């Protein structure tokens, strides 16, 4: 009988933000399949006998396809009783965890999900920015910004999104930032909308900037912000209480990519 695959969220980077369940599974797993945004300090939790497989994806570089990753998981679970598929953030938030769960389930494999702290929430918290606030910020939209500019039918209608949510949290948006900004402004969002970008949230090297929507792309380029980074657009940025923000960990994020 095949074992069980655990889709585990590693959180935003700081090992202290791992869940108790994630920590326990890392200690006991027979095999682990991990991505690009998992710091070495977290991987050091696994035993010396654990079979470790890297399947990280990086823009502009050769990476393991999702189809190959699915097959790797299926092959490992035939030989091991406890396989951890470790993903940065939360496995079901822009992590393709749903695709992997469906694939494994269709092949008769038991799958369990262990939620993690997603980077969109962690990044804002570590800058003292509340994503909602009773005094005027009661909605927030999480969206992926890495779609190609020339994609014929983008799944994100940025122009429509411009006026449908008070605040927008964008994952993987640095590469297409100017395109996204242009679309939001064309859709009716004010060029003066408060905006922030946070790079390497919760770990050593964490930094951020706050400016207007119109100036955001220019300043991101000037200050050489790169992925992994989270972009926050909306009035909620004005509610920042920097004094309450946690200090970032001394853990170093794997090499940044853009």
């Amino acid at each position: 009988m095949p074992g069980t695959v655990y889709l585990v969220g590693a959180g935003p980077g700081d090992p202290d933000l791992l869940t108790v369940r994630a920590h326990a599974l890392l200690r006991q797993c027979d095999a682990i399949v991990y991505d690009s945004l998992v710091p070495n300090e977290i991987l050091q939790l696994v035993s010396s006998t654990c079979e470790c497989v890297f399947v990280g994806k990086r823009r502009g570089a050769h990476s393991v396809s999702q189809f190959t990753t699915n097959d790797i998981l299926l092959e490992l679970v035939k030989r091991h009783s406890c396989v951890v598929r470790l993903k940065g953030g939360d496995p079901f938030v822009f992590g393709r965890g749903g695709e992997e769960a469906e694939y494994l389930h269709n092949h008769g494999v038991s799958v369990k999900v262990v939620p993690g702290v997603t980077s969109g929430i962690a990044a804002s918290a570590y800058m003292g920015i509340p994503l909602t606030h009773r005094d005027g910020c009661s909605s927030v939209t999480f969206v992926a910004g890495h779609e190609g500019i020339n994609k014929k039918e983008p799944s994100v209608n940025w122009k429509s999104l411009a006026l449908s949510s008070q605040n927008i949290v964008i994952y993987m948006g640095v590469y297409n930032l100017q395109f996204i900004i242009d679309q939001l402004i064309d859709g009716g969002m004010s060029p003066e909308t408060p905006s922030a970008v946070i790079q390497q949230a919760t770990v050593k090297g964490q930094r951020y900037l706050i400016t207007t929507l119109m100036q955001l792309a220019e300043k991101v380029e000037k200050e050489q912000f790169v992925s992994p980074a989270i972009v926050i657009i909306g009035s909620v940025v004005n509610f920042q209480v920097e004094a309450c923000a946690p200090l970032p960990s001394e853990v170093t994020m794997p090499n940044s990519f853009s």
Side-chain angles (χ1 to χ4, degrees):
M1 290 291 291
T4 299
V5 173
Y6 295 87
L7 302 179
V8 179
D14 184 350
D16 285 345
L17 297 179
L18 279 172
T19 64
V20 174
R21 180 59 170 154
H23 189 280
L25 284 169
L26 289 171
R27 289 290 194 186
Q28 72 184 55
C29 64
D30 307 303
I32 181 171
V33 179
Y34 63 99
D35 68 16
S36 299
L37 296 180
V38 178
N40 187 55
E41 287 83 353
I42 291 178
L43 295 174
Q44 288 176 353
L45 295 174
V46 304
S47 73
S48 59
T49 59
C50 179
E51 184 174 353
C52 301
V53 182
F54 173 71
V55 293
K57 298 174 176 61
R58 295 181 183 273
R59 179 179 292 276
H62 176 73
S63 59
V64 179
S65 71
Q66 187 60 56
F67 295 108
T68 301
T69 298
N70 292 346
D71 288 338
I72 288 172
L73 290 170
L74 185 59
E75 189 275 331
L76 286 173
V77 79
K78 292 177 180 178
R79 297 188 285 109
H80 300 294
S81 62
C82 178
V83 176
V84 165
R85 172 63 172 110
L86 190 63
K87 296 172 174 287
D90 181 274
F92 275 9
V93 180
F94 305 123
R96 297 189 177 182
E99 298 173 43
E100 293 170 2
E102 182 180 19
Y103 177 86
L104 292 167
H105 175 74
N106 289 341
H107 284 79
V109 176
S110 174
V111 181
K112 305 295 182 183
V113 180
V114 180
V117 179
T118 184
S119 58
I121 293 174
S124 61
Y126 269 64
M127 286 298 99
I129 298 174
L131 288 184
T132 61
H133 197 289
R134 193 170 61 169
D135 291 338
C137 307
S138 58
S139 67
V140 59
T141 299
F142 295 91
V143 59
H146 69 294
E147 291 185 315
I149 295 174
N150 298 320
K151 188 176 179 180
K152 292 183 178 180
E153 295 184 3
S155 58
V156 178
N157 187 333
W158 294 103
K159 291 183 180 180
S160 176
L161 191 59
L163 299 179
S164 63
S165 180
Q166 292 172 306
N167 300 284
I168 304 173
V169 177
I170 305 173
Y171 293 65
M172 303 166 285
V174 171
Y175 182 76
N176 290 331
L177 188 55
Q178 188 62 65
F179 168 76
I180 293 169
I181 291 170
D182 291 343
Q183 290 287 296
L184 291 173
I185 292 176
D186 286 348
M189 182 174 284
S190 169
E192 299 302 312
T193 301
S195 304
V197 59
I198 304 107
Q199 179 181 316
Q200 295 188 338
T202 80
V203 299
K204 186 177 181 180
Q206 172 184 285
R207 62 185 184 129
Y208 78 103
L209 66 82
I210 292 178
T211 185
T212 64
L213 180 63
M214 176 65 78
Q215 296 179 314
L216 185 60
E218 179 183 351
K219 289 193 174 183
V220 163
E221 182 177 3
K222 180 180 179 180
E223 299 297 329
Q224 298 183 328
F225 275 73
V226 296
S227 297
I230 292 290
V231 178
I232 303 174
I233 299 172
S235 58
V236 73
V237 174
N238 286 336
F239 289 89
Q240 183 190 35
V241 183
E242 190 174 7
C244 75
L247 293 175
S249 167
E250 285 300 306
V251 167
T252 302
M253 187 68 75
N255 292 334
S256 300
F257 57 97
S258 58

